[in-house]
Structure formats: C-alpha cells, structure tokens
Amino acid sequence: MYTAQDPRSSLAPAARATSTPTAFSAASYCRFYETPPQDTDQNGRVWYGRGANFLVAYTLAEQGGAFSRKGQIDEWAIIVPDRDVRVEIETPASTTVVEPYSIAFVPPGDSTVRVPTGGRIIRIFSTQSADIAAKCENAATYASAPPNIPPFQPWPAPKDGFRVRAYSLDVGGDSGRFGRIFRCTTLMINYLDPRMGPRDTAKLSPHHHDDFEQGSLVLDGDYIHDIRWPWTPDMAIWREDEHAQCGAPSLTVIPPPTVHTSRSIAPGLNQMVDLFSPPRVDFSMKPGWVLNADDYPMPESR
C-alpha cells in the first residue's frame, strides 16, 4: 500500500504466494547502542548482527584501524557514511582509495580495509561467512533455518571479473527512483534518501515481501518499525503487532510475509539503509533504479 507519490507504487504486483505459511519468524532487533561490542581491540569496536542471508559489522574504527579478511568466501560490501572518513582497501591485485560518503564492493579472497583517520564504517557480508555469523548478537535467532525464505543463491559474477568497485552516495534525487540502490552478487543495498524530522504518518507505506527478509539499518536518528503478522487458519502461530523503537545505530530484521513500514521520529537527521540478500528482482527490473546495474548482470532466468 503505497501513496501515489511513492516510486514503489509503480512496481509490478508481486505474484500471490501459492501456499499459506505454516510458521512465522519473529522480527529481530539489534540495538547496538544498548550492547557492548563483540570485538574490541586497537583497531576499534565492532558490533555484529545478522539476518538469514546477510551479516552487518557496524564498526567504530580507531585512527589507523585495519580490518582483514583471509580467504573470504564471497563478495561483500562496505559503506562509508560520513564525509570526513576515507578508507583504503587492499587486495592482492591493487589498493583502492574509497572516498568519503561512498559504498564499495570487495571481491572474494584476501583483503584489508584501513581507516587512516578512524571513524565509522559498516561492512556487510553474506551468511556464508560462518566466522562472522557466529559473532552476531542475534545468532541464536538463526540456529535453525527460518521459515518462508528459500535457500540463498548468489547472482552472476561481473562480466569483467571481480575487483573493488566504489560508488559515490552523492547521487542526485530522481522522483521516479526509490532511494539510491546498488547491488553485487550477494547483496542489494538501498541507501535511502535522508529524512529531516518525523515522517508524516498520513503518508506511510505498509507493504510485505512473501519470501525474503528486509534489514533496516539505522545510521542516524530514531525510527519506529511497525510490523504486523498475517492471520492464517492456525491461530496458534498468530503474533501480536509490534511497534519497535530503534535508534542509531541499530539493525532490525523484518521477516516475510509481515506487513511493515518504518517511520522516522527524531527532529533532525534520520538516515536508514535497507538491506536485501540476494538482490531483489523487482527493484532490478525497474530501469534506472539500480545505479550500478551495468556492472552486475541479473540471472539469465529473470
């Protein structure tokens, strides 16, 4: 249910689910500001949270902090959300400087991220990285596979091979596009347009996804996530509505097929990032929505 002004109102209607759910997952809330970091050393502090297919490492790096991956199994992402933080990504092939206020995708294999000035960075992986998955504060939620989500399948590799690819978040607004969407083989990241002040509660966007989670990563401000589970013939699996307040930094994982919407409530800057794994087909089918679509092909079956 989108307003006519919401670009998502132009999405093709999703196919109806062919079966009624027999089980539901709970929503998962990682309020990093309320918990101690899982990692603390001379490089900085790191909080970890996860969904079924994605992992978030929210990092406050010390000056000169370095974060390495050895034998990384698949492609991953890094967000540099602040305009006074620059990072360097070293791989066996090259060293890439990622400018402030950017997003980058990092190839499988060995890599090191260095943060010369210190500052916050957000690294995002698939759950194929079992060592990171084990650190997540909500790891117990995913001790068994959640219902209503198919097995993870990565998307095709870039036509010209894997390498570090960096993109500025300084992308001009477009009334026909929803947010600032980037994808790789494992992830889709929508760096939503910032909201100044509370959202108009007469213009919310309750919607649902039949078979994939949404990660809502709050970087600035304060949000309330409104989540409603559908009623099914089996009353034993019904759940109460939730209206969860989550400040910054936090990760909320919204399970399918709940109806959900999020509303900013802080008086100043409110910044949220939506995460999906693997990438969404419906967003990818919209011309111009995925800003790096030329670099990452869709599966041939789509």
Side-chain angles (χ1 to χ4, degrees), residues 1 12 15 22 32 52 66 68-69 76 93 97 100-101 107 119-120 131 154 178 191 194 199 213 227 245-246 249 290:
M1 291 179 279
T22 58
F32 299 139
S68 295
R69 295 295 295 165
W76 59 280
V97 175
Y101 202 54
R120 64 175 178 168
D131 60 320
F178 180 58
Y191 203 93
R199 186 175 184 181
E213 290 177 325
I227 305 174
Q245 184 171 343
C246 294
V290 179

Side-chain angles (χ1 to χ4, degrees), residues 16-256:
R16 284 187 171 272
T18 57
S19 60
T20 300
T22 58
F24 293 128
S25 295
S28 184
Y29 306 102
C30 298
R31 297 176 175 90
F32 299 139
Y33 53 90
E34 292 183 345
T35 59
Q38 281 73 46
D39 284 347
T40 302
D41 59 20
Q42 73 278 7
N43 295 301
R45 294 169 288 159
V46 188
W47 290 258
Y48 298 94
R50 65 167 291 179
N53 294 332
F54 61 83
L55 308 165
V56 170
Y58 182 90
T59 304
L60 295 179
E62 294 291 342
Q63 186 174 1
F67 305 88
S68 295
R69 295 295 295 165
K70 299 295 184 183
Q72 170 65 29
I73 192 170
D74 55 11
E75 196 173 24
W76 59 280
I78 180 169
I79 300 173
V80 186
D82 296 314
R83 296 183 182 275
D84 58 352
V85 177
R86 180 180 286 103
V87 305
E88 300 170 357
I89 303 175
E90 180 182 343
T91 70
S94 65
T95 297
T96 302
V97 175
V98 178
E99 297 296 328
Y101 202 54
S102 294
I103 183 171
F105 296 108
V106 185
D110 297 349
S111 61
T112 298
V113 174
R114 294 187 173 85
V115 191
T117 60
R120 64 175 178 168
I121 59 173
I122 300 94
R123 291 168 294 151
I124 308 167
F125 303 85
S126 85
T127 49
Q128 303 303 298
S129 297
D131 60 320
I132 301 176
K135 294 182 177 184
C136 293
E137 67 173 70
N138 61 338
T141 302
Y142 295 91
S144 57
N148 310 313
I149 301 174
F152 172 75
Q153 291 289 335
W155 279 27
K159 296 176 182 177
D160 58 351
F162 287 109
R163 58 182 173 82
V164 176
R165 299 170 188 270
Y167 308 93
S168 173
L169 292 169
D170 266 324
V171 180
D174 184 334
S175 60
R177 189 185 68 237
F178 180 58
R180 289 161 283 178
I181 303 173
F182 301 87
R183 72 174 185 237
C184 67
T185 56
T186 55
L187 302 162
M188 175 173 278
I189 299 172
N190 187 0
Y191 203 93
L192 297 166
D193 294 332
R195 288 187 178 275
M196 296 304 297
R199 186 175 184 181
D200 184 347
T201 56
K203 297 180 179 179
L204 299 178
S205 55
H207 62 284
H208 80 284
H209 315 300
D210 279 333
D211 58 1
F212 59 86
E213 290 177 325
Q214 176 176 310
S216 291
L217 175 66
V218 176
L219 297 182
D220 299 286
D222 210 350
Y223 285 79
I224 292 177
H225 303 291
D226 301 295
I227 305 174
R228 169 168 289 181
W229 284 258
W231 289 358
T232 68
D234 183 3
M235 190 176 182
I237 67 169
W238 292 6
R239 290 179 174 269
E240 295 289 336
D241 292 354
E242 293 182 3
H243 307 278
Q245 184 171 343
C246 294
S250 64
L251 171 68
T252 295
V253 184
I254 302 169

